[in-house]
Amino acid sequence: MTSSGAPSVAAVLLAAGGSTRMGEPKQLIRLRGRSLVRHAAEVALQSRCEGLFVVAGAHCDAIRSELADLPAVVLFGDNWREGLSRSIRCGVDAVSQSANPAFDAILLLLVDQSEITSAHLDALIDVYQKNAAAMVATQYAGTLGVPAIFGRRHFTALQALEGDRGAQMLLLADPAAGRVPFAKAARDIDTPDDLSRA
C-alpha cells in the first residue's frame, strides 16, 4: 500500500525482443527525438506507478545504457527467446521479490506502443484503486490488451504463461476486468512501415 492506503502499482516494461521484423533493435529506434524504450520508460515514470522494472534481453547492455540516468531497474531476461511469456515471468518475479516497497499490483506495458501516455496509465490506476478491480485492461480495436494492471492475486497465473503469448488470455477470461478505452493503443511499431506511419 502507498502512504495514502491505496494499492501501489509497479510498471513492468517489456523490452526484451529481438526485433526480427524491424531488422534492427526496435527498442533503440528514435522517434520524436527519443528511443522507443526511453519514451516508454519516461511515460511510466511520469505516471503514478511507484516503481519501474524494464525487462531487456536481446539488447540488454544498450538498453541499460539508454536508461542509465533514470530510476529504473533493468532486468536481464536470460530466456527471452522463449517469447513474451518469459519476459512477463521475469518482471513478475522481480516485483514479487521487491520489499522496499512491496507492490500490490503490476502494470504491464510494451516498448512499441508509442502513443501510450502517462495520463492513460493513471486512468488505469484510478480504476484499479477505486474499484478494487483485480485486473484493468486497455480497450481498443474491439478487444482488451496492454497496458493492463494485474493485482497480486493474478501473479501466479502470469507466472504460468508459456510461449510467445502475452497476458491477453487472462484479461479476456475475466468478465469482471476493468477497462479503459484508448483507441491509439492499437498502434504499435513492428516494421519499418509502422515506423514511417508513426
Side-chain angles (χ1 to χ4, degrees):
M1 295 284 189
T2 65
S3 58
S4 66
S8 59
V9 179
V12 174
L13 174 58
L14 303 174
S19 307
T20 54
R21 285 185 286 174
M22 182 62 72
E24 60 180 303
K26 174 169 58 177
Q27 302 90 328
L28 303 173
I29 287 174
R30 303 190 80 76
L31 180 66
R32 305 181 195 109
R34 290 180 293 177
S35 67
L36 290 182
V37 70
R38 174 104 188 177
H39 169 74
E42 290 179 349
V43 166
L45 290 169
Q46 290 162 8
S47 76
R48 296 207 321 274
C49 289
E50 296 181 45
L52 172 61
F53 298 79
V54 181
V55 183
H59 313 287
C60 187
D61 289 343
I63 289 172
R64 184 171 280 119
S65 177
E66 183 74 7
L67 304 180
D69 62 327
L70 298 181
V73 177
V74 179
L75 310 167
F76 175 54
D78 55 351
N79 294 319
W80 62 269
R81 289 182 180 84
E82 293 179 15
L84 190 57
S85 65
R86 186 64 189 91
S87 294
I88 292 173
R89 296 202 303 271
C90 179
V92 173
D93 287 346
V95 172
S96 297
Q97 295 164 17
S98 175
N100 189 25
F103 296 102
D104 303 294
I106 64 171
L107 189 157
L108 293 179
L109 68 159
L110 302 175
V111 73
D112 60 3
Q113 288 178 302
S114 62
E115 300 293 334
I116 295 299
T117 65
S118 57
H120 176 63
L121 301 188
D122 285 345
L124 293 169
I125 293 171
D126 281 342
V127 173
Y128 176 76
Q129 292 181 338
K130 291 177 181 177
N131 300 327
M135 290 190 285
V136 182
T138 300
Q139 185 176 30
Y140 58 92
T143 191
L144 300 178
V146 294
I149 296 177
F150 298 84
R152 187 170 281 271
R153 76 169 92 162
H154 290 288
F155 284 10
T156 299
L158 289 170
Q159 290 166 317
L161 294 172
E162 296 182 349
D164 198 24
R165 301 173 67 184
Q168 187 179 49
M169 57 180 290
L170 300 179
L171 298 169
L172 295 176
D174 186 355
R179 53 194 67 198
V180 178
F182 193 78
K184 291 181 179 180
R187 302 177 190 169
D188 57 12
I189 298 176
D190 285 324
T191 67
D193 285 344
D194 294 336
L195 181 61
S196 295
R197 285 191 291 271

